[in-house]
């Protein structure tokens, strides 16, 4: 069982930045990559960004050019750097990783973009 724990959420003004972190209990990100999803109230969970073990990152159109996904293999960390934040980015952000048929999720961290 892989444990994923997100951190870094909070309240930020429009145009501001946040960096989310997700720490894994083992090296799942190194071998399998990882992803960030988000879910706003009343909406379905959506993919924000993903990064494979050996392939380039993929981003939702709504965050291209503003968000960057990266990982630190040595520390089992997955990051999401979020710049130029907009009110519509407000959501709970979840870290996810897959190993075989199993998909693992963190409990999420809340990001609120508001003035």
């Amino acid at each position: 069982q892989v444990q994923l724990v997100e951190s870094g959420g909070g309240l930020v003004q429009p145009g501001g930045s946040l960096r989310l972190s997700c720490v894994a209990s083992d090296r799942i990100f190194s071998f399998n990559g990882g992803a960030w999803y988000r879910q706003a109230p009343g909406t379905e969970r959506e993919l924000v960004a993903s990064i494979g073990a050996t392939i380039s990152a993929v981003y939702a159109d709504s965050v291209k050019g503003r968000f960057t996904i990266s990982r630190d293999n040595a520390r089992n960390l997955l990051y999401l750097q979020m710049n130029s934040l907009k009110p519509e980015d407000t959501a709970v952000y979840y870290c996810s990783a897959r190993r075989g048929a199993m998909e693992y999720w963190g409990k999420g961290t809340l990001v609120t973009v508001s003035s």
Side-chain angles (χ1 to χ4, degrees), residues 38 46-50 58-67 86 88-89:
R38 68 185 181 188
E46 63 172 352
L47 177 67
V48 175
S50 66
V58 176
Y59 297 94
D61 287 344
S62 59
V63 307
K64 280 181 182 177
R66 300 189 296 123
F67 290 11
K86 304 175 182 180
E88 51 263 44
D89 295 318

Side-chain angles (χ1 to χ4, degrees), residues 19 22 26-27 29-30 70-79:
R19 188 177 80 160
C22 176
D26 69 16
R27 299 187 66 185
F29 297 139
S30 301
S70 62
R71 61 174 184 257
D72 182 337
N73 291 338
R75 298 198 293 164
N76 299 335
L77 282 164
L78 187 72
Y79 297 110

